[in-house]
Amino acid sequence: MDYQNISVLISQEELDNRIDELAQQISHDYQGETLKLICILKGSIFFCCELAKRITVPVMFDFMQVSSYGKSTESSGHLIIKKELDEPIKGDHVLIIEDIVDSGNTLSKLLPMLKEREPKSLKVCTLLDKPERRTAPVEVDYNGFCIPDEFVVGFGLDYSQNYRNLPYVGVLHFD
Ligand code: IMP
Ligand code: MG
């Protein structure tokens, strides 16, 4: 799949290698525990699956869909819960799987909300981090790649629901 308006930022091979490393670290940190992965739909689906396949401790999944974005590329500042978790997380070791931390708005609202549900632990794993864009402070426990302030698509990430199935992460050029 080649799009003229997209340039590769992180190749399939780089994604593969880094996800291997993250999974090794997570497996080590949660040794002897069962881990509940909360996949934040829809952008995290590819990352969550690839990571989970490589984690060697027992894993459970739940899914949540939140949105602070409309069809534009700027955060609206509001957090809308479009899909709730199926199960309580009380007493669970919870790892939130995100595609990208940008302004930090989503996680800075989501984390306190989930903390109130009394998980045994609550951590964040994101594939991508755009630290330059941060306006709300968020503590990220596992980060795949720090990227520059560019709008990226692929490997789950979208622009108006398009480009999610690109096997790499690419910069979308708007002109
Ligand atoms: P935050 O709330 O600003 O941290 O943004 C989190 C959400 O914004 C992510 O889960 C993405 O869905 C979306 N997002 C932020 N930056 C990008 C990007 O460069 N490409 C695609 N989606 C993005
Ligand atoms: Mg999105």
Side-chain angles (χ1 to χ4, degrees), residues 2-3 19 65 161:
D2 271 336
Y3 291 93
I19 294 172
Q65 188 169 10
Q161 301 304 327

Side-chain angles (χ1 to χ4, degrees), residues 9-12 14-20 22 26 43-48 50-51 96-101 107 124-130 140-147 152-157 166-170:
L9 182 68
I10 308 169
S11 69
Q12 271 182 271
E14 288 172 302
L15 287 166
D16 245 25
N17 292 340
R18 186 67 185 125
I19 294 172
D20 273 346
L22 287 172
I26 290 165
S44 306
I45 49 174
F46 293 94
F47 178 43
C48 187
E50 290 305 319
L51 187 68
I96 297 175
I97 310 296
E98 261 288 20
D99 52 357
I100 185 166
V101 183
L107 281 176
V124 174
C125 176
T126 186
L127 178 66
L128 307 173
D129 186 359
K130 270 195 238 176
V140 174
D141 301 280
Y142 305 97
N143 172 34
F145 301 88
C146 280
I147 62 165
V152 291
V153 293
F155 206 71
L157 289 109
L166 292 178
Y168 52 84
V169 173

